[in-house]
Amino acid sequence: MRFGQAYLALEKGELSPVYTLLGQDGALVDAWIERVYQKLTKKDQVMRLDIQFDEQGIDEILMAVDSPSLFGDRTLAVIRHFTGMQSGGKSKWDFTELETYLESPSHHAHLILCVDADKLDERRKLSKLLKRYPMIQCYTEKSSERIELARILDERARQLDHQVAQDLAERVESVGQFIRELDKIFTFSHHHPITMEILAELAVPRLEDNLFAFVSAVWSGHLSKAWAIRQELAQRGIDEFSLLGMLARQIRLMWYAKVVGTSKKAATELGVHPFALSKAGEEAVYWDRKKLESCLVSIADAEYFVKSGRWEAEGALLWVVSSLTVSVGQIKQPYNRAQ
C-alpha cells in the first residue's frame, strides 16, 4: 500500500494490530509510527516500546504485546531494522514465536515491524502471515511522489511553487532528504520565499552533477577535490563499485574516441550521447591508446582484488583515483608547459 493513501486514511479507519513498513525513508517510517501513536493516545494511555532488532531481538517485544500492560490501556511496540526478512537474505533468527503471535495477535497491542528493504522474501511463512496485515511502502521511486508526501508531512513544502518543488525533489532520493533540505534552505534564506536562485545556491547538488564533478576532478588531477566529492556521494548511497564503473566508462569512451572518432554516427553506434563522446575526445587528446588500456586493466584488477577479499572497496577506489590523478598530472604537464 502506498504511503500517502494509507497515511491519509489512517485517521478515519480502525488501527490494525500489525503493520509492516517497507523501505528506508526515515521520515516516512517515523511519521507513520507517530501517527499511530497519536491516534492511540486520543483515547487510551499507551505504553510505547521501541527497539533495534539487531541489538535486542524480539523476545522482549513479544512478551510485551502478548500480555496486558500494567502502565497503560494499550501497547505500541516498534521493531526497527527488522533484518532477515529481505528478499534473498539469510536469517539466523527463529521466528516461530512471532509467527504464532501473528496467527492471533493481541487486542490490546499494536506491533510495527520496520524492514530495511522494499520487499520481503516471499518464500517464508512469516512473509505470508505479514501479508494479512497492512504493508506500507516507506520509499519513493519518483520525484512526484517525494513532492506529494513532503507536502503531506511538512507545511513548508506546501509553500513551494511547482518548479522549485520539482527541482528540489530531483536533487534528493527520499522524503527525509527533501525535508532536511527544507530545514537548511528556510534557515539560511531567513524564511523568504524560495526561488530557483536560492535553491541553486543552498540545496544539495543534483546526484548526476556530483557524479560528473567526481569524474571531472579525477581527470583534472585534483585528488583532494575528487575524494571530498566521493564522501558526499557515499552519504547519498553511491558505493565504490559504482564510482569505479563510472571511471571505467569514461576511460572506455576516451579509448573509443581515440580509435573511432567523435562523430554523431560513432556515438549512435556506441549508444552514448554525442556530447559525452565529444567531451571524452577532448580528454583523450592527452592520452595514448596503450595508457588508456593500462588504466582499464588497473580498474579491473582493483575490482578483482575486492571481490576476492584481498582489498577493501574504499581502499581500491582510493588506489585507482590516486593512480589516475598522478597519471593525469604526468600526461598533461608537458601540454601545460607548452601553453
Side-chain angles (χ1 to χ4, degrees):
M1 184 181 298
R2 292 189 177 278
F3 182 92
Q5 175 188 2
Y7 187 81
L8 294 175
L10 187 60
E11 194 64 33
K12 301 177 183 177
E14 292 296 320
L15 289 175
S16 170
V18 180
Y19 291 103
T20 303
L21 307 185
L22 298 173
Q24 301 186 59
D25 193 328
L28 300 182
V29 171
D30 290 342
W32 185 268
I33 294 170
E34 288 303 315
R35 187 75 172 232
V36 171
Y37 180 71
Q38 290 169 9
K39 185 166 184 177
L40 285 173
T41 53
K42 285 182 179 179
K43 296 181 180 179
D44 302 302
Q45 294 293 318
V46 179
M47 181 179 76
R48 177 170 171 175
L49 296 174
D50 200 321
I51 71 164
Q52 305 290 327
F53 173 74
D54 51 355
E55 296 177 3
Q56 298 166 269
I58 58 175
D59 293 342
E60 179 184 348
I61 284 287
L62 288 178
M63 185 179 297
V65 297
D66 213 16
S67 56
S69 170
L70 299 177
F71 303 98
D73 302 316
R74 295 271 180 175
T75 298
L76 174 61
V78 179
I79 303 178
R80 296 183 184 269
H81 305 299
F82 187 57
T83 56
M85 287 301 300
Q86 294 94 328
S87 178
K90 294 182 180 180
S91 176
K92 64 180 180 180
W93 302 95
D94 181 4
F95 295 125
T96 303
E97 291 187 21
L98 178 57
E99 291 168 356
T100 301
Y101 177 81
L102 292 174
E103 294 278 6
S104 181
S106 170
H107 296 293
H108 61 262
H110 299 273
L111 176 63
I112 300 178
L113 301 171
C114 306
V115 180
D116 295 343
D118 296 348
K119 59 182 179 180
L120 302 180
D121 190 334
E122 300 291 343
R123 299 168 298 176
R124 295 183 179 172
K125 179 182 178 181
L126 182 56
S127 298
K128 296 174 182 176
L129 290 171
L130 288 173
K131 281 190 171 183
R132 297 180 182 179
Y133 310 99
M135 307 185 79
I136 314 302
Q137 295 179 2
C138 292
Y139 60 89
T140 54
E141 297 176 341
K142 300 178 181 179
S143 59
S144 58
E145 292 181 87
R146 292 191 279 277
I147 295 171
E148 175 193 352
L149 298 183
R151 285 176 169 166
I152 290 174
L153 300 181
D154 197 310
E155 191 274 335
R156 295 170 303 177
R158 298 191 285 273
Q159 298 177 22
L160 303 178
D161 67 34
H162 177 74
Q163 185 180 9
V164 171
Q166 182 66 35
D167 189 86
L168 180 56
E170 291 173 355
R171 292 170 180 262
V172 299
E173 287 81 54
S174 69
V175 177
Q177 291 176 351
F178 191 106
I179 292 175
R180 287 194 294 274
E181 287 300 305
L182 286 182
D183 291 337
K184 178 177 65 177
I185 293 168
F186 272 81
T187 298
F188 287 99
S189 68
H190 304 291
H191 300 277
H192 291 147
I194 308 303
T195 63
M196 291 295 290
E197 290 74 20
I198 291 176
L199 192 69
E201 181 180 354
L202 297 177
V204 64
R206 293 171 182 269
L207 180 59
E208 56 267 30
D209 291 343
N210 253 357
L211 290 169
F212 178 81
F214 171 77
V215 175
S216 178
V218 173
W219 295 116
S220 300
H222 298 145
L223 175 59
S224 59
K225 181 179 178 181
W227 206 246
I229 297 172
R230 183 269 172 279
Q231 299 302 328
E232 294 179 15
L233 290 170
Q235 294 174 2
R236 302 179 70 173
I238 305 299
D239 60 26
E240 291 83 1
F241 277 115
S242 298
L243 296 177
L244 285 172
M246 288 189 60
L247 292 173
R249 177 183 180 275
Q250 183 67 10
I251 296 173
R252 284 196 299 269
L253 282 180
M254 291 166 63
W255 185 89
Y256 278 119
K258 199 84 173 174
V259 174
V260 302
T262 59
S263 66
K264 288 186 178 180
K265 181 181 178 181
T268 302
E269 291 175 351
L270 294 172
V272 300
H273 196 282
F275 179 76
L277 187 59
S278 175
K279 292 295 290 183
E282 293 177 9
E283 287 293 338
V285 169
Y286 303 106
W287 299 71
D288 62 45
R289 197 172 76 177
K290 289 186 177 180
K291 185 64 177 177
L292 292 171
E293 292 168 354
S294 175
C295 289
L296 283 174
V297 171
S298 295
I299 293 177
D301 287 343
E303 180 183 10
Y304 171 76
F305 290 148
V306 172
K307 290 183 176 179
S308 62
R310 300 182 189 181
W311 287 4
E312 294 290 336
E314 186 173 5
L317 179 63
L318 179 58
W319 178 75
V320 169
V321 170
S322 301
S323 300
L324 289 175
T325 51
V326 169
S327 297
V328 168
Q330 293 173 343
I331 290 170
K332 288 189 175 181
Q333 190 175 27
Y335 288 87
N336 294 334
R337 286 176 177 173
Q339 293 175 352

